[in-house]
Amino acid sequence: MVKLAVLVSGGGTNLQALLDAQARGELGSASISLVLSNRKAAYALERARNAGVPTEVLSKVMEPDPVRYDERMLGILQGYGIQMIALAGFLTILGEKTVGAYEDRIINIHPALIPSFCGKGYYGLRVHEEALKRGVKITGATAHLVNLGVDEGPILVQKAVEVQEGDTPEILQRRVMEQAEWKILPQAVKLLADKLERGEAL
Ligand code: GAR
């Protein structure tokens, strides 16, 4: 099995999608072995505990220095023997050491069709506010590999979702989660884990 860490900051509905996929046997070689949050109040941690998955918290308050934050993050991941990472609503940019140690082994879920509405500052509800402001008729979600650029790594899976008349950012966010994010994140995790298990490059 390939040990997966899921990094979270908030509600953790994407984490829940991964936990549910694993329970249904749909996560292939991936085994959720750690949930790490940068916020100790994140509800995602509760979801992890309910599923019996070990949790860790590493916040900017605990470690304000970005270089040491990166080192401590890597130390925690290696301590659990983590082999691949899913960023599931993790709203902190990973440091160079962590990204370097897990090159082509980190997946991020982004709530838009990259290259639209992505990059620095585009996270959470803000992405959907901008999509509605621009008046797009189609949006969606993207699962992609993480490199040192923000939302710039190779795309693994995308899924389109229709914008509907009268959508608010909250309504659109929920539709994008239900119809796209919760489906393609487990798919991308399975894809990468199965490749790693077979010793293949992506
Ligand atoms: C999700 O919509 C995810 O795509 C987004 O944050 C939300 C987290 O929700 N991530 C980003 O915007 C990253 N740029 P969750 O905690 O319920 O999974």
Side-chain angles (χ1 to χ4, degrees), residues 10-14 88-89 91 108-111 122-124 127 173 177 181:
T13 64
N14 278 286
L91 302 182
N108 180 46
I109 182 75
H110 184 75
Y122 281 92
Y123 58 87
V127 176
Q173 179 182 50
M177 283 175 157
E181 294 183 48

Side-chain angles (χ1 to χ4, degrees), residues 85-126:
I85 300 169
L87 306 183
F90 186 64
L91 302 182
T92 295
I93 309 281
L94 287 181
E96 269 176 39
K97 289 205 170 96
T98 304
V99 173
Y102 287 95
E103 194 180 358
D104 293 339
R105 288 167 175 254
I106 310 175
I107 292 171
N108 180 46
I109 182 75
H110 184 75
L113 292 174
I114 289 176
S116 290
F117 311 112
C118 65
K120 216 168 174 340
Y122 281 92
Y123 58 87
L125 213 51
R126 166 94 210 285

Side-chain angles (χ1 to χ4, degrees), residues 2 10-11 19 28 30-31 37 46 90 121 123 163 167 171 174 180 197 199:
V2 176
L19 291 166
S31 165
S37 174
E46 193 67 31
F90 186 64
Y123 58 87
V163 178
D167 271 353
I171 290 171
R174 182 75 192 181
E197 183 79 358

